[in-house]
Amino acid sequence: FLQKGCHVTSIRLVYDTNQSTGEKHFRGVAFVDLADEISFQKGLEFHQTAFLGGGRKVNVRVTKSKGELSEIVKRTEQKVADLIARSKEKKEKEKSDHGKDGENFKVG
C-alpha cells in the first residue's frame, strides 16, 4: 500500500490463540486503515490481486466505524433478547395450554 502512495494510518493483523498452549497463529487476515479517500482509491487497485506472490488475494473494501459497529451490536443484542423472550412466552403458553388440556381430560 505504501508503494502505491497510500497514506496508511494503522495495520492490524488477526491471530487465533490455541486455548491449550496459548500459542498464536496468524489467520491470514489484516486490516489496513487508510487516511483519506485518495489513499482508498489507490488501495482499490489491489482488490482481488495476489498478495506477496502467494495464493491469497487482497480484498479492499470500506469497513464500519466503531460507532457503526457498536450500533450493529446493540441492534443484534436487542433482536436476540426479543427472540429469547418470545421463545420463553411460547413455552409458557404451551405449558399453560397443556395443563388446561390435562384438567379437562377424564379417564373412566
Side-chain angles (χ1 to χ4, degrees):
F1 285 89
L2 293 173
Q3 291 174 349
K4 286 278 187 189
C6 297
H7 183 228
V8 175
T9 58
S10 70
I11 299 172
R12 293 162 295 171
L13 305 176
V14 180
Y15 291 87
D16 280 334
T17 303
N18 183 314
Q19 297 300 314
S20 302
T21 65
E23 190 175 316
K24 291 185 177 185
H25 299 280
F26 179 58
R27 288 184 55 194
V29 176
F31 294 92
V32 178
D33 294 322
L34 303 172
D36 51 44
E37 181 68 23
I38 294 169
S39 295
F40 175 70
Q41 292 302 323
K42 290 178 181 179
L44 283 174
E45 295 174 23
F46 285 114
H47 187 62
Q48 292 296 307
T49 61
F51 183 68
L52 296 177
R56 297 184 187 272
K57 288 190 176 183
V58 174
N59 291 311
V60 179
R61 61 180 176 252
V62 176
T63 58
K64 306 286 186 200
S65 70
K66 287 184 181 180
E68 290 169 318
L69 291 173
S70 177
E71 285 301 314
I72 291 169
V73 168
K74 285 179 188 176
R75 286 194 308 267
T76 302
E77 287 173 342
Q78 185 59 51
K79 287 179 182 180
V80 169
D82 292 346
L83 288 170
I84 290 170
R86 276 190 261 148
S87 177
K88 286 181 180 179
E89 289 172 4
K90 183 179 177 184
K91 286 181 182 178
E92 287 298 317
K93 183 175 181 339
E94 289 172 354
K95 189 176 179 181
S96 173
D97 289 347
H98 181 68
K100 289 179 184 175
D101 289 343
E103 293 171 0
N104 295 332
F105 183 72
K106 295 183 182 179
V107 177

